[in-house]
Amino acid sequence: DAGVTQSPTHLIKTRGQQVTLRCSPISGHKSVSWYQQVLGQGPQFIFQYYEKEERGRGNFPDRFSARQFPNYSSELNVNALLLGDSALYLCASSQWDRGSEAFFGQGTRLTVV
Amino acid sequence: KQEVTQIPAALSVPEGENLVLNCSFTDSAIYNLQWFRQDPGKGLTSLLLIQSSQREQTSGRLNASLDKSSGRSTLYIAASQPGDSATYLCAANTGNQFYFGTGTSLTVIP
């Protein structure tokens, strides 16, 4: 079985631009979560989606948004990019919305210049 | 708010040594605790998951323990190998999100 897949793997954007990151969960998993990892830090929670509904949101500005599709894949959108948005964006796939093991993708490295 | 701390921040050991990585969390109301491995610039690889009702889990040379009442977990690595060199992260699951520590960077010297 394929693991969690994220695309693209690397991305360079200019300040003020918008970016869309994509994630496909493990087959059978209905929950997708997004995390931001800045260099040298642990991942920080951005969103959780379960059955196409937002179930949790971390402390991130409204420039960050996400959605989940009927096939359980997900997109993370970031508008009006800032230099501080440069980070590794990780997608996690879980079977249920609460308390189940999380499996992470390889991440998307976003660089804002 | 849940806070997770990992000690030490970095560790360098000779090949073959047994070692212990520590993780502490402030809120004992967790569903589970998960240990991950991260290689430079890569995603997270799940190592062990301990449910809140469990005391420990083992996988090969890895053993993780959980003491929910004291807010502590340890990851024990037996007979370390150079291939174990990576950053190890613990994460406390409070329901719909994980709270991560900043990790322990492990270097195993051949």
Side-chain angles (χ1 to χ4, degrees), chain A residues 13 16 22 24 26 35-36 43-44 47 56 62 66-67 69 71 75 80 83 85 88 93 97-98 102 109 111 113:
Chain A
K13 290 286 189 178
R22 296 176 176 83
S24 292
I26 292 170
Y35 288 80
Q36 181 197 65
Q44 296 287 319
F47 286 110
D62 291 344
R67 56 180 174 169
F69 298 99
N71 66 353
E75 288 182 350
L83 295 179
D85 295 331
L88 181 67
S93 164
D97 61 335
R98 288 182 173 270
R109 171 68 64 186
T111 302
V113 298

Side-chain angles (χ1 to χ4, degrees), chain A residues 33 35 37 40-45 48 55-57 88 90 94 97-107 109, chain B residues 1 31-32 34 36 38 41-49 51 89 93-103:
Chain A
S33 298
Y35 288 80
Q37 186 179 26
Q41 299 295 316
Q44 296 287 319
F45 174 72
Q48 188 211 28
R55 292 299 186 93
R57 172 187 283 258
L88 181 67
L90 296 163
S94 300
D97 61 335
R98 288 182 173 270
S100 52
E101 186 172 6
F103 298 89
F104 282 78
Q106 288 302 294
R109 171 68 64 186
Chain B
K1 180 192 169 188
Y31 279 74
N32 56 52
Q34 198 164 348
F36 296 90
Q38 186 172 34
K42 303 295 185 182
L44 307 183
T45 300
S46 179
L47 297 174
L48 287 166
L49 171 74
Q51 298 292 352
L89 293 156
N93 186 340
T94 58
N96 65 349
Q97 68 172 284
F98 283 91
Y99 288 86
F100 284 84
T102 53

